[in-house]
Amino acid sequence: MSSVPVQTRKFPATGVPVGNAFGPLLSISNAPRLGPQPNSLDNAVSCATHWVRMSDGRRADAMWLEAGAMMQKMVPRAEWVRYLRKIRLDRGQLVGREWFEVTRVRDPVGLPAGDYLNVIFVSHYTRAVLFETVSLAPGGTGSGNWLPVGYVIRPVQREIAFAQ
């Protein structure tokens, strides 16, 4: 019986075979440094969730006080309280709410230039299914460095089946 030489492959410390063009990109030395991420999406969703829960508790004054100075300058406190009362009418009790989407908005009309986030929830009430959108700006010191700057509620549109 003759023996066949076995080829051995050398692997760098990362475990990526030599000759792989992506090896250097996958090495530990090039990995991003993970740590506290003050403006993370998790913090944005947490901040927005806190804000909609204040709406559930009919705490419009507290919402306004926790909002960014930008919103406080644009919307007087009394007007904010009236707005919240109006949008809470006719939807009934909250049955459930789920986080739906986070979208980035760059340089929105009517606000200072910059990057903002909209955290959108699908909220089920006894008499309505609604999208609740909390708009956030970076820069707060609490709530994960995001500041609420807007809150909009709109109905979820049902799909329309067309006759063929």
Side-chain angles (χ1 to χ4, degrees):
M1 238 171 153
S2 67
S3 68
V4 177
V6 176
Q7 283 188 321
T8 59
R9 296 172 73 185
K10 291 187 178 183
F11 294 93
T14 61
V16 178
V18 174
N20 182 330
F22 297 108
L25 296 174
L26 300 174
S27 72
I28 299 300
S29 63
N30 290 332
R33 304 247 181 235
L34 298 179
Q37 302 293 315
N39 282 4
S40 74
L41 294 179
D42 288 338
N43 288 339
V45 172
S46 178
C47 177
T49 300
H50 171 72
W51 227 45
V52 294
R53 286 183 180 156
M54 282 196 293
S55 172
D56 297 338
R58 299 173 195 263
R59 299 180 54 211
D61 281 331
M63 289 175 78
W64 191 86
L65 289 171
E66 287 189 18
M70 174 187 341
M71 188 190 105
Q72 291 175 345
K73 289 177 187 172
M74 291 174 35
V75 182
R77 190 174 186 169
E79 188 177 320
W80 178 254
V81 171
R82 279 193 301 278
Y83 169 72
L84 262 276
R85 283 186 189 142
K86 180 181 176 187
I87 63 175
R88 291 208 52 91
L89 294 176
D90 298 328
R91 58 183 174 176
Q93 292 294 322
L94 178 68
V95 176
R97 172 183 292 123
E98 39 190 276
W99 170 82
F100 177 69
E101 180 178 60
V102 174
T103 58
R104 180 178 139 205
V105 181
R106 175 167 272 171
D107 302 332
V109 175
L111 294 175
D115 288 329
Y116 297 79
L117 289 180
N118 284 337
V119 179
I120 303 169
F121 299 91
V122 175
S123 303
H124 301 264
Y125 291 87
T126 53
R127 293 189 292 268
V129 178
L130 304 168
F131 283 121
E132 290 179 287
T133 302
V134 177
S135 298
L136 302 169
T141 54
S143 303
N145 293 336
W146 291 101
L147 285 171
V149 294
Y151 179 55
V152 176
I153 296 176
R154 59 187 169 85
V156 172
Q157 299 294 319
R158 304 283 183 194
E159 290 185 31
I160 301 171
F162 292 97
Q164 292 186 9

